[in-house]
Amino acid sequence: MRHGEASWQASCDAERPLTDNGRVRLFATLRENAARMQDVQHILHSPYLRAVQTAQIAGEVLGVDSYSDDALWTPDNDPQQAIETLDAFTDQTILVVTHNPLVSRLVGGFCGAGIEPFDTGTITCVDADWPAMGLGSLIWKA
């Protein structure tokens, strides 16, 4: 999932908060997709404020209270390094909250598809037996 719409008014990129519109749209998107996200057990997110806030909203809507952050999920990190952090979650269904361009490159590489930009608040469901580039299947996108 890409974080919700964020303000440009902050002291640095990592401190950009969600806008009010971003929050409203996130709640709506998550509620619309909650039934097909009912198996999410953990939320892994970037430590950037907008991703933390998105993860909190997702947890509230989905009833998930297990969270962790990882600096490898920030905007310009290497997709291969980020995907390697998923090894710790192979026995769980997780929601990852991150940023563009990382999420676009990751889903494209993971599913062996083209790189497609993600609008803010976009959610994709990728299925894989093992987290590695080229081994995932795109199930749905909202």
Side-chain angles (χ1 to χ4, degrees):
M1 175 177 199
R2 182 175 177 204
H3 63 78
E5 178 185 273
S7 170
W8 288 101
Q9 298 178 352
S11 61
C12 66
D13 187 38
E15 295 301 319
R16 292 176 46 216
L18 293 176
T19 63
D20 290 342
N21 182 56
R23 289 176 181 278
V24 168
R25 288 177 45 206
L26 277 173
F27 272 108
T29 299
L30 287 159
R31 284 184 185 126
E32 288 171 14
N33 293 284
R36 58 183 174 178
M37 297 174 71
Q38 67 186 356
D39 294 334
V40 172
Q41 300 161 299
H42 182 80
I43 301 173
L44 173 64
H45 58 84
S46 156
Y48 283 21
L49 180 58
R50 59 194 179 271
V52 172
Q53 292 173 326
T54 299
Q56 291 169 339
I57 291 169
E60 180 181 332
V61 172
L62 302 175
V64 176
D65 61 4
S66 177
Y67 301 88
S68 60
D69 67 25
D70 192 315
L72 289 175
W73 290 94
T74 55
D76 295 314
N77 278 334
D78 180 282
Q80 185 59 45
Q81 289 180 332
I83 208 168
E84 288 172 5
T85 68
L86 299 179
D87 286 347
F89 301 99
T90 56
D91 62 338
Q92 295 180 43
T93 299
I94 66 168
L95 173 65
V96 177
V97 179
T98 188
H99 312 263
N100 256 344
L102 178 62
V103 68
S104 297
R105 293 189 310 221
L106 183 70
V107 171
F110 199 55
C111 297
I115 297 172
E116 182 178 323
F118 275 57
D119 291 333
T120 55
T122 298
I123 306 168
T124 60
C125 177
V126 175
D127 185 39
D129 291 330
W130 188 256
M133 292 297 196
L135 296 182
S137 298
L138 181 63
I139 307 300
W140 56 266
K141 183 174 180 179

